[in-house]
Amino acid sequence: MAYEKLYVLKYFWEDYKPGYLKWESPDWLNRQEQTGIEVSQALLPYDGQAEHFIEHFLGRPREEIPEVAFQKYGDRLYFYNGRLWALLNDENDPFGYQEKILTRFSRKLDKLNSHYLPCGFCALYLYTHAEPTKDEIEGLMEKMTQEQNHRKSQFEIVFLDCGNCLYLLDFRQNSVKTIPLPEKALEFITAETEALYQAVDWDKGTAFTDSAISEER
């Protein structure tokens, strides 16, 4: 869920500032900070059906997931507290995660330069479904930098969520920062995300806040 990723940034990104609204292109908007954050998963274009499925059913109760999805994805469907939480990797997928990361980055960069709401600071949060090494991360950043050099609008930061750690690729400083994500902390974030998801109707313009959880409890 995009809410879970914003929670990760809230607790682990030292430059996080409150005031985000649920938006579209980018997914999250902080008007006061002039910051936009897009959230996505490292999928290839051939995964279009999976991407479409995730966009429409992520976070929904198990009973709302169509039977054809169970037939198609089987054990790849991951549920938490009765809701669809993720679509796990296909073990028979012949494509490497680096190719998927770079492909998704390119597609989001295209959209950033076409129809995203202009922001002073643009960030991309990618869930990688993989655990690359530090050297591989630096190689990915080099390729991203080369591609961005030819674009008018660029991502200042790319977050790569690798499960047990978050890599912060800062293109302003040309640096990579590794942020460990402890298991207990992720369990807490997962629980808070579930509460937030149930407490609020996430229409465009809805504020990302913990107050709805407190009121619900």
Side-chain angles (χ1 to χ4, degrees):
M1 296 178 184
Y3 322 112
E4 177 190 3
K5 306 315 176 189
L6 197 58
Y7 255 127
V8 170
L9 296 184
K10 174 182 176 180
Y11 290 113
F12 291 98
W13 181 29
E14 61 182 12
D15 291 329
Y16 175 90
K17 299 292 190 302
Y20 281 94
L21 305 175
K22 185 69 182 74
W23 210 254
E24 295 175 6
S25 300
D27 290 313
W28 296 101
L29 175 66
N30 190 320
R31 292 187 183 277
Q32 184 173 351
E33 300 297 324
Q34 276 296 295
T35 296
I37 300 176
E38 180 72 4
V39 180
S40 187
Q41 299 193 52
L43 298 171
L44 284 175
Y46 91 93
D47 289 325
Q49 288 186 340
E51 181 180 8
H52 180 78
F53 169 75
I54 291 171
E55 288 179 350
H56 282 78
F57 293 102
L58 196 65
R60 293 195 184 183
R62 178 186 290 268
E63 56 268 22
E64 293 185 13
I65 308 302
E67 181 60 31
V68 65
F70 288 94
Q71 297 172 4
K72 181 178 180 63
Y73 299 115
D75 292 339
R76 294 179 62 195
L77 298 174
Y78 174 71
F79 291 88
Y80 177 81
N81 282 351
R83 291 180 180 271
L84 181 63
W85 201 255
L87 181 63
L88 303 179
N89 271 347
D90 183 354
E91 295 181 356
N92 298 317
D93 188 350
F95 296 95
Y97 59 82
Q98 295 186 59
E99 183 179 359
K100 292 183 178 183
I101 291 171
L102 291 173
T103 298
R104 178 57 54 180
F105 172 79
S106 295
R107 291 186 65 182
K108 291 300 181 180
L109 186 60
D110 286 341
K111 292 183 178 180
L112 178 66
N113 280 272
S114 58
H115 64 273
Y116 274 27
L117 179 72
C119 296
F121 185 95
C122 300
L124 174 63
Y125 191 114
L126 277 181
Y127 186 66
T128 67
H129 301 282
E131 297 182 1
T133 66
K134 184 71 175 295
D135 288 342
E136 290 172 333
I137 292 294
E138 292 176 351
L140 288 168
M141 184 175 185
E142 182 178 351
K143 293 178 180 179
M144 291 176 182
T145 299
Q146 293 173 355
E147 184 168 0
Q148 290 213 123
N149 284 340
H150 305 289
R151 300 302 187 93
K152 179 180 180 180
S153 297
Q154 303 180 3
F155 290 111
E156 277 75 25
I157 283 181
V158 170
F159 299 98
L160 295 181
D161 186 332
C162 300
N164 61 354
C165 72
L166 183 72
Y167 288 104
L168 191 161
L169 281 58
D170 190 331
F171 294 92
R172 304 162 301 173
Q173 305 294 330
N174 191 30
S175 64
V176 177
K177 182 177 181 180
T178 305
I179 305 172
L181 300 177
E183 183 177 351
K184 290 295 183 181
L186 292 178
E187 290 176 359
F188 167 77
I189 288 172
T190 298
E192 291 297 288
T193 303
E194 172 66 14
L196 189 61
Y197 185 87
Q198 296 189 39
V200 180
D201 291 328
W202 286 100
D203 299 321
K204 182 177 179 180
T206 301
F208 179 79
T209 174
D210 293 335
S211 62
I213 297 179
S214 300
E215 292 171 3
E216 195 75 8
R217 291 175 178 174

